[in-house]
Amino acid sequence: GEKGGVTSLNASLLEQVIFDDQSTASELTKFLCLQKWVEGCKHEVTSEDIDLPRKMLDTDEIISSRTPKKTTRKQIGSDETRSNVTPPPSPPLKSQNEESSIDSQHQQRLTIAKHLAEKLDLSLIPASDLSTTITDSKLISTHDLYQAYRLQALNAERTKSKVFVEGAGLAEVNGTYIQRGVHEGTPMYNKEGVWRDREEVFRIFLCTYSNGNKSWCLSIVPKGKEPGKTSDLDFYECPVSYGKNGGIASGSCSAENGLGVVPTRGWKLVNYGQAPVPKCSLIAGCLEDA
């Protein structure tokens, strides 16, 4: 119940409670329970409390279990010859033993928690928590963290928003733009192509001008340069206001005030563009603005 909390559970019950098939707790919540148990468990634990892989048992513990105690006979002889000698009190040694026992218990709990943490689906834990709470805990191996980030990246790739540009007088800009990166807090959309016999990346991104006005731009951003600079090769642009009533909303950004919304209409020629102006439409992966 609530009274003892997770710290009142022994290792076996901890596993049953956290990984119960009927549990609706998130993977992050499960992890935090393990972390709390390591720091505050009220039970004395041993590696035998749970079925641990042999490789996870403490090396010193394995060596100790295999090494016969050679001091037994000598100790008996010593006790016989010094039976009348009163051993001196040793409070400091006792204190050291207690401290060693506490450290040993913490290490045992840590070993058990690391084993149980392997059952977690780390890819379901937000990246912001993986990079802070999870990494700092030392309960998760670097390899498992890498795999979690990798799965998250692959999943994100599958659900990228996409914008289809068509009808532009400059044929090179037409095609499918895939969400890649963020600029000014909104997603950018990229398409590889060729312009004037050079391989380039065409981008759709939000830009704030020196007067404070915002527009979506369809441009080539020179390699190594940030978007929204005078070095951009601009073809078409559209004020943010057009995104309010006729735009494409990215699934990862708010459409409020037109931010995160690529306009479907309202585009105009600038610099290197050619008439007619393009139209943008939704394809797989995009969410339409309600």
Side-chain angles (χ1 to χ4, degrees):
E2 294 289 332
K3 186 175 181 180
V6 70
T7 58
S8 66
L9 302 175
N10 60 33
S12 180
L13 281 176
L14 178 73
E15 180 178 19
Q16 294 177 37
V17 170
I18 292 182
F19 298 101
D20 190 301
D21 291 338
Q22 305 301 318
S23 173
T24 58
S26 68
E27 299 301 281
L28 177 59
T29 298
K30 293 176 183 178
F31 175 85
L32 293 175
C33 285
L34 286 176
Q35 190 177 40
K36 186 174 182 180
W37 182 81
V38 169
E39 299 305 324
C41 176
K42 299 180 176 65
H43 290 276
E44 182 174 336
V45 298
T46 69
S47 58
E48 297 177 357
D49 289 347
I50 198 167
D51 187 18
L52 291 175
R54 188 162 188 79
K55 67 178 182 179
M56 293 192 68
L57 293 175
D58 186 83
T59 305
D60 292 336
E61 180 184 333
I62 295 175
I63 294 175
S64 174
S65 66
R66 295 175 179 175
T67 305
K69 297 180 180 180
K70 300 179 181 179
T71 58
T72 305
R73 184 180 298 276
K74 183 177 180 181
Q75 288 175 346
I76 294 174
S78 298
D79 290 343
E80 290 174 352
T81 58
R82 290 183 291 179
S83 58
N84 297 327
V85 179
T86 304
S90 53
L93 184 60
K94 182 178 180 182
S95 176
Q96 290 174 4
N97 287 339
E98 288 177 349
E99 184 176 337
S100 176
S101 176
I102 292 174
D103 290 341
S104 174
Q105 279 294 295
H106 185 271
Q107 188 60 44
Q108 291 281 13
R109 294 196 297 269
L110 199 59
T111 300
I112 291 171
K114 284 181 178 180
H115 170 60
L116 294 179
E118 292 180 355
K119 296 186 175 186
L120 296 170
D121 186 347
L122 299 177
S123 67
L124 299 179
I125 297 177
S128 57
D129 291 305
L130 283 177
S131 63
T132 54
T133 305
I134 309 300
T135 301
D136 295 344
S137 73
K138 309 300 183 184
L139 289 179
I140 306 296
S141 69
T142 301
H143 172 75
D144 288 344
L145 280 171
Y146 166 77
Q147 290 298 331
Y149 285 124
R150 179 175 174 274
L151 282 174
Q152 288 187 353
L154 289 174
N155 289 334
E157 187 69 25
R158 295 189 189 101
T159 57
K160 290 288 187 185
S161 297
K162 300 177 183 178
V163 175
F164 185 63
V165 176
E166 59 183 337
L170 186 67
E172 288 88 339
V173 308
N174 293 327
T176 301
Y177 289 70
I178 302 175
Q179 184 183 335
R180 289 281 193 281
V182 173
H183 180 63
E184 296 191 4
T186 58
M188 290 192 296
Y189 301 85
N190 297 351
K191 179 184 81 74
E192 295 181 356
V194 177
W195 190 67
R196 293 185 177 178
D197 298 323
R198 292 183 57 180
E199 292 185 354
E200 303 282 4
V201 176
F202 296 88
R203 295 186 180 183
I204 300 174
F205 60 92
L206 185 66
C207 177
T208 302
Y209 294 104
S210 56
N211 61 5
N213 292 336
K214 294 178 181 288
S215 285
W216 282 93
C217 299
L218 200 164
S219 314
I220 289 176
V221 179
K223 293 180 180 179
K225 300 289 185 180
E226 286 292 315
K229 306 298 183 182
T230 55
S231 56
D232 293 349
L233 304 177
D234 300 319
F235 302 105
Y236 305 95
E237 71 174 18
C238 183
V240 162
S241 58
Y242 277 98
K244 293 181 180 179
N245 300 314
I248 302 168
S250 165
S252 60
C253 292
S254 169
E256 185 179 358
N257 297 324
L259 297 179
V261 180
V262 178
T264 57
R265 60 184 179 85
W267 291 87
K268 63 180 182 179
L269 293 172
V270 291
N271 299 341
Y272 300 95
Q274 295 177 16
V277 296
K279 296 178 181 178
C280 299
S281 57
L282 299 171
I283 58 175
C286 290
L287 298 176
E288 190 167 6
D289 189 21

